[in-house]
Amino acid sequence: MKIAVLSRNRRLYSTRRIVEAGQKRGHEVYVFDTLKCYMDIATMKPGIYYKGERLDGFHAVIPRIGASITGYGLAVLRQFEMMGVFPLNESVAIGRARDKLRSSQLLSRKGVGLPNTGFAHDIENAHDLIRLVGGAPVVVKLLEGTQGKGVVLAETKKAAESVIDAFQELKADFVVQEFIKEAGGSDVRCFVIGDKVVAAMTRQAREGEFRSNLHRGGTATVTKLTPAERSTALKAAKSMGLNVAGVDILRSNRGPLVMEVNSSPGLEGIEGATKKDIASMMIEFIERHGEPNKTRTRGKG
Ligand code: ADP
Ligand code: MG
């Protein structure tokens, strides 16, 4: 098959691994810098161009779209979809997962466990949110944050109010969330492909830190999931309509709670911790579902 990978940087671990796995399995794999693709949308024959050439004959596209370029990246991916190319993850599914409000609403409607979370726009309401999610301690999160950067633990009501005031002053969108203390500074990343959790790891925050992000010095170890965790992860990915997802779960006293669903989950941490060849599993999924002339699996719109 001829496979396109949308990625800003071909040297990234995940991109390199996908290319390597695709080639090893006998496919032609091309990496395109998402922001350098341009499109012809107003004709009967939608096209995508790259460095002066029209991209034709692709059977599948693997989107690796960073949060900062979601809008344009999804437009490029949609264009591939309009041309009949099979997307490993569909643009509409990635759009759902990227929007934290929309995804929380979808997950809660499907009965997936979530930490109590409040959203507000006005400052007066924001203060009442602390009470709504059960009072301090709370976690206040910037909606735009990644790698744990915009995530603050406020131990007291006073601290929470100050953080909310500061975020509001900066005109940043945020959520107020119940703090899951019993998670003990760790969370579980479940890597979902199709209807299977193919790998899982626990990430443990370093001493004195509650955020388990590997970028913040957290450490990853392979973990065994409970049946409830497994089904929660699958349900979360399915609710978004994602074929490939990294579902982050907090282990709480009332069972697994989903923190977020990542639509371009990184491979480095999970392959390192589990020693599994996840890149090849992604390619195999495309072989099974994206083959020309085969019926396509499509998420609901
Ligand atoms: P980011 O998208 O920046 O990674 P997260 O929402 O994933 O932000 O939060 C970063 C880390 O902080 C999580 O991996 C988890 O370890 C910790 N954390 C986040 N929310 C909570 C919470 N409500 N209770 C306990 N720990 C949390
Ligand atoms: Mg996270």
Side-chain angles (χ1 to χ4, degrees), residues 148 187 203 213 248 259-260 262:
D187 71 351
R203 294 176 296 199
N213 302 65
D248 292 341
M259 234 178 347
E260 64 179 336
N262 295 280

Side-chain angles (χ1 to χ4, degrees), residues 3-294:
I3 301 173
V5 180
L6 292 177
S7 168
R8 296 251 29 225
N9 185 347
R10 61 177 67 245
R11 284 184 299 275
L12 295 175
Y13 177 92
S14 301
T15 307
R16 274 195 286 117
R17 287 283 301 122
I18 288 166
V19 172
E20 196 179 280
Q23 289 173 343
K24 214 162 112 197
R25 297 185 63 86
H27 304 293
E28 275 178 72
V29 189
Y30 300 86
V31 179
F32 301 112
D33 180 345
T34 320
L35 290 184
K36 293 197 174 133
C37 294
Y38 51 104
M39 299 164 271
D40 172 8
I41 48 175
T43 62
M44 294 297 287
K45 203 168 167 247
I48 303 184
Y49 298 84
Y50 194 77
K51 298 186 176 163
E53 274 184 59
R54 195 185 148 98
L55 305 184
D56 272 317
F58 283 91
H59 302 109
V61 53
I62 302 179
R64 302 290 308 177
I65 296 169
S68 61
I69 61 151
T70 299
Y72 193 77
L74 292 190
V76 174
L77 180 58
R78 260 193 310 275
Q79 191 78 357
F80 273 103
E81 291 167 3
M82 286 166 67
M83 295 164 67
V85 180
F86 174 79
L88 182 54
N89 274 332
E90 262 193 302
S91 57
V92 53
I94 299 173
R96 287 185 196 107
R98 282 289 157 81
D99 180 335
K100 291 208 178 169
L101 307 188
R102 184 178 175 195
S103 56
S104 307
Q105 287 168 323
L106 269 166
L107 292 170
S108 93
R109 195 174 79 201
K110 300 277 177 174
V112 174
L114 298 170
N116 284 327
T117 306
F119 303 115
H121 188 73
D122 289 321
I123 189 103
E124 296 95 299
N125 304 333
H127 291 290
D128 194 33
L129 282 183
I130 300 172
R131 187 181 59 78
L132 280 179
V133 302
V138 292
V139 176
V140 188
K141 294 184 188 183
L142 284 180
L143 286 188
E144 295 293 312
T146 55
Q147 304 177 353
K149 276 177 204 141
V151 181
V152 181
L153 171 60
E155 311 255 12
T156 64
K157 182 161 168 283
K158 266 210 156 59
E161 285 176 347
S162 313
V163 173
I164 290 173
D165 283 341
F167 282 177
Q168 200 108 49
E169 191 61 33
L170 295 168
K171 303 209 183 313
D173 284 323
F174 61 89
V175 301
V176 179
Q177 197 164 71
E178 113 188 72
F179 175 53
I180 308 299
K181 188 165 191 279
E182 64 270 25
S186 78
D187 71 351
V188 182
R189 160 62 61 92
C190 305
F191 205 105
V192 177
I193 300 180
D195 53 10
K196 279 203 183 71
V197 180
V198 297
M201 62 176 168
T202 315
R203 294 176 296 199
Q204 178 66 49
R206 64 177 156 72
E207 190 69 31
E209 169 64 78
F210 79 103
R211 294 163 297 183
S212 59
N213 302 65
L214 302 182
H215 289 104
R216 310 206 67 85
T219 46
T221 43
V222 60
T223 195
K224 192 161 165 41
L225 297 178
T226 66
E229 287 164 352
R230 200 169 282 276
S231 71
T232 296
L234 292 175
K235 208 165 166 184
K238 198 158 182 245
S239 306
M240 299 295 122
L242 291 168
N243 295 321
V244 171
V247 181
D248 292 341
I249 285 178
L250 288 170
R251 287 179 160 149
S252 85
N253 293 337
R254 58 178 197 277
L257 305 177
V258 171
M259 234 178 347
E260 64 179 336
V261 183
N262 295 280
S263 51
S264 293
L267 295 179
E268 191 163 15
I270 193 96
E271 287 196 335
T274 65
K275 308 283 174 244
K276 287 188 181 170
D277 181 357
I278 304 202
S280 292
M281 297 183 204
M282 290 165 69
I283 302 291
E284 280 171 45
F285 182 89
I286 293 175
E287 291 167 3
R288 268 182 276 126
H289 299 274
E291 198 81 42
N293 310 322
K294 261 205 189 164

